[in-house]
Amino acid sequence: MIFLLLIALLSFSVASFPALSFELPASMLSQDHVLSISPAKAGLEHRDNGPLRGRILEQYQKWKGTHYAWGGTTRRGVDCSALMQHLFSDAAHLSLPRTTGEQIHRGVQIAQYSLKPGDLIFFQTGPNRRHVGVYIGNREFIHASTSHGVTVSTLADNYWQSHFITARRVTGERA
């Protein structure tokens, strides 16, 4: 605690002398601190009105109940990766590739315990079959379910936990 106080004092006193500058080691910065954003993460930044979670939920209301159709890309029938394309295009003006196999390589990988609304989450649902959804907080995600169409499910469900493979942050925007 004293160390952090000294750092804060030092940064305040140095700030009054523009010719002097220094950088704190990344390990001393919180993950959410503006100075902790790497150039790679900065490239993911997207600014828009309103929180990302709210904009995704708005788009969900337009797609809710749309039945699942493998290869489908419209409100008459949509698959999971096309739904992600639409949600991110409309909510974040972000272009995602068409397939789950391509989407799984976008953004930066994150741990399940670090999920934030707007993160893509991926599941292995068969030997050569992947599924994708978007995390919305409270352990819930939006996806195009083969049995329920476009819906919200919970990561607390044993099925989803046992099939979870990875998560990707494709936008640096605060949720």
Side-chain angles (χ1 to χ4, degrees):
M1 184 68 177
I2 293 174
F3 181 71
L4 291 176
L5 183 59
L6 287 172
I7 294 294
L9 241 139
L10 181 59
S11 64
F12 177 75
S13 63
V14 169
S16 48
F17 298 98
L20 298 175
S21 69
F22 72 102
E23 290 183 15
L24 292 173
S27 61
M28 292 178 59
L29 296 174
S30 74
Q31 246 186 338
D32 295 330
H33 193 282
V34 68
L35 296 176
S36 67
I37 298 174
S38 71
K41 284 184 183 178
L44 296 173
E45 285 292 333
H46 171 76
R47 303 275 184 229
D48 203 341
N49 296 332
L52 178 60
R53 180 181 187 274
R55 294 192 317 269
I56 289 173
L57 290 174
E58 255 178 54
Q59 293 307 312
Y60 166 69
Q61 289 304 318
K62 296 175 184 177
W63 287 90
K64 183 179 180 181
T66 300
H67 82 276
Y68 179 91
W70 188 81
T73 60
T74 70
R75 289 198 178 102
R76 285 185 272 156
V78 68
D79 67 18
C80 61
S81 57
L83 177 64
M84 295 305 108
Q85 275 190 312
H86 286 290
L87 292 180
F88 279 86
S89 175
D90 296 341
H93 308 291
L94 180 70
S95 178
L96 289 177
R98 174 63 186 91
T99 68
T100 305
E102 294 168 312
Q103 291 176 1
I104 202 167
H105 298 291
R106 294 294 179 165
V108 293
Q109 185 174 9
I110 55 163
Q112 192 174 140
Y113 64 82
S114 298
L115 284 171
K116 291 183 181 179
D119 292 338
L120 290 176
I121 51 178
F122 295 88
F123 306 91
Q124 190 75 44
T125 55
N128 298 309
R129 190 186 225 157
R130 290 190 191 127
H131 185 66
V132 63
V134 60
Y135 187 72
I136 56 171
N138 299 320
R139 304 204 66 198
E140 294 180 322
F141 65 101
I142 296 169
H143 65 120
S145 160
T146 55
S147 55
H148 302 294
V150 176
T151 190
V152 173
S153 294
T154 178
L155 277 172
D157 183 284
N158 287 336
Y159 175 83
W160 295 115
Q161 272 305 302
S162 65
H163 290 84
F164 178 87
I165 52 173
T166 192
R168 308 289 294 190
R169 184 154 300 146
V170 293
T171 175
E173 185 175 351
R174 296 261 194 270

